Amino acid sequence: MTVIEAVAPLEASTLKPTVVHLSGDIDIFNTAQLRQRLLNTLSHSTSTLVLDLSQVTFCGAGGLGVLLGVQARARALGITLTLAGVPPLMTRLLHITGLARHFGRPA
Protein backbone atom coordinates (compact mmCIF):
# COMPACT_ATOMS: atom_id res chain seq x y z
CA MET A 1 0.00 0.00 0.00
CA THR A 2 1.21 3.42 -0.89
CA VAL A 3 -0.27 6.74 0.03
CA ILE A 4 0.29 8.52 -3.25
CA GLU A 5 -0.59 11.87 -1.77
CA ALA A 6 -2.78 13.51 0.80
CA VAL A 7 -3.96 16.83 -0.52
CA ALA A 8 -5.66 19.45 1.61
CA PRO A 9 -6.85 22.58 -0.14
CA LEU A 10 -4.45 25.51 0.10
CA GLU A 11 -7.31 27.85 0.92
CA ALA A 12 -8.82 27.84 4.38
CA SER A 13 -12.11 26.70 2.86
CA THR A 14 -13.92 23.77 4.39
CA LEU A 15 -15.97 23.42 1.20
CA LYS A 16 -13.17 21.64 -0.68
CA PRO A 17 -12.39 18.13 0.52
CA THR A 18 -9.08 16.75 1.63
CA VAL A 19 -8.23 13.93 -0.79
CA VAL A 20 -5.99 10.95 -0.03
CA HIS A 21 -4.98 8.78 -3.01
CA LEU A 22 -4.11 5.19 -2.11
CA SER A 23 -2.56 2.52 -4.31
CA GLY A 24 -1.49 -1.10 -4.16
CA ASP A 25 -2.47 -3.71 -1.57
CA ILE A 26 -3.94 -2.92 1.83
CA ASP A 27 -3.04 -5.98 3.85
CA ILE A 28 -1.74 -7.17 7.20
CA PHE A 29 1.74 -5.91 6.38
CA ASN A 30 0.76 -2.24 6.09
CA THR A 31 -2.51 -1.64 7.95
CA ALA A 32 -0.79 -0.15 11.01
CA GLN A 33 1.10 2.34 8.84
CA LEU A 34 -2.04 3.19 6.89
CA ARG A 35 -4.06 3.71 10.07
CA GLN A 36 -1.44 6.09 11.47
CA ARG A 37 -1.13 8.09 8.25
CA LEU A 38 -4.89 8.46 7.90
CA LEU A 39 -5.33 9.48 11.54
CA ASN A 40 -2.57 12.07 11.05
CA THR A 41 -4.35 13.32 7.95
CA LEU A 42 -7.55 13.79 9.96
CA SER A 43 -5.82 16.36 12.13
CA HIS A 44 -5.23 18.53 9.02
CA SER A 45 -8.38 17.64 7.11
CA THR A 46 -11.20 19.87 5.99
CA SER A 47 -14.76 18.88 6.90
CA THR A 48 -14.69 16.17 4.20
CA LEU A 49 -12.00 13.53 3.74
CA VAL A 50 -12.11 11.58 0.49
CA LEU A 51 -10.19 8.34 0.18
CA ASP A 52 -9.52 7.65 -3.50
CA LEU A 53 -9.23 3.88 -3.79
CA SER A 54 -9.09 3.71 -7.59
CA GLN A 55 -5.52 2.36 -7.55
CA VAL A 56 -6.04 -0.15 -4.71
CA THR A 57 -5.49 -3.69 -5.97
CA PHE A 58 -6.38 -5.64 -2.79
CA CYS A 59 -7.96 -4.96 0.57
CA GLY A 60 -7.97 -7.55 3.36
CA ALA A 61 -10.01 -7.69 6.54
CA GLY A 62 -7.44 -5.54 8.36
CA GLY A 63 -7.82 -2.86 5.70
CA LEU A 64 -11.58 -2.83 6.17
CA GLY A 65 -10.98 -2.47 9.91
CA VAL A 66 -8.74 0.52 9.30
CA LEU A 67 -11.37 2.18 7.12
CA LEU A 68 -14.05 1.65 9.78
CA GLY A 69 -11.80 2.91 12.58
CA VAL A 70 -10.75 6.01 10.66
CA GLN A 71 -14.36 6.68 9.77
CA ALA A 72 -15.36 6.49 13.44
CA ARG A 73 -12.59 8.91 14.41
CA ALA A 74 -13.51 11.24 11.55
CA ARG A 75 -17.15 11.24 12.63
CA ALA A 76 -16.13 12.06 16.21
CA LEU A 77 -14.19 15.06 14.84
CA GLY A 78 -17.12 16.21 12.69
CA ILE A 79 -15.41 15.10 9.48
CA THR A 80 -17.26 13.18 6.77
CA LEU A 81 -15.24 10.32 5.30
CA THR A 82 -16.14 9.37 1.72
CA LEU A 83 -14.78 6.63 -0.50
CA ALA A 84 -14.14 7.39 -4.17
CA GLY A 85 -12.99 5.29 -7.10
CA VAL A 86 -13.84 2.06 -5.30
CA PRO A 87 -12.71 -0.86 -7.49
CA PRO A 88 -15.37 -3.47 -8.36
CA LEU A 89 -13.82 -6.20 -6.22
CA MET A 90 -13.72 -3.91 -3.21
CA THR A 91 -17.30 -2.77 -3.85
CA ARG A 92 -18.33 -6.42 -3.81
CA LEU A 93 -16.36 -7.00 -0.59
CA LEU A 94 -18.08 -4.04 1.09
CA HIS A 95 -21.50 -5.39 0.08
CA ILE A 96 -20.78 -8.99 1.07
CA THR A 97 -19.57 -7.93 4.52
CA GLY A 98 -22.45 -5.49 5.02
CA LEU A 99 -20.03 -2.59 5.37
CA ALA A 100 -21.22 -0.70 2.29
CA ARG A 101 -23.96 0.95 4.36
CA HIS A 102 -21.32 2.39 6.72
CA PHE A 103 -19.68 4.35 3.94
CA GLY A 104 -22.74 5.49 2.03
CA ARG A 105 -22.69 5.92 -1.69
CA PRO A 106 -19.12 6.19 -3.05
CA ALA A 107 -18.16 9.50 -4.64
Side-chain angles (χ1 to χ4, degrees):
M1 177 279 316
T2 303
V3 174
I4 297 173
E5 62 181 331
V7 181
L10 296 176
E11 306 163 9
S13 170
T14 59
L15 299 178
K16 294 184 181 181
T18 299
V19 180
V20 176
H21 300 275
L22 302 175
S23 71
D25 294 348
I26 301 173
D27 55 28
I28 193 168
F29 300 108
N30 55 34
T31 52
Q33 176 189 12
L34 176 61
R35 176 181 294 109
Q36 191 58 52
R37 293 194 69 179
L38 292 177
L39 291 176
N40 288 343
T41 300
L42 282 176
S43 64
H44 305 294
S45 181
T46 60
S47 61
T48 303
L49 174 62
V50 177
L51 300 182
D52 177 357
L53 306 176
S54 61
Q55 299 300 311
V56 171
T57 53
F58 173 83
C59 183
L64 293 177
V66 167
L67 295 178
L68 284 172
V70 171
Q71 183 192 47
R73 178 74 61 90
R75 189 174 289 141
L77 295 170
I79 298 170
T80 301
L81 185 139
T82 303
L83 303 180
V86 182
L89 287 175
M90 193 161 173
T91 298
R92 186 167 186 254
L93 179 62
L94 290 169
H95 284 289
I96 287 172
T97 59
L99 297 176
R101 62 188 163 91
H102 290 282
F103 294 101
R105 188 167 201 89

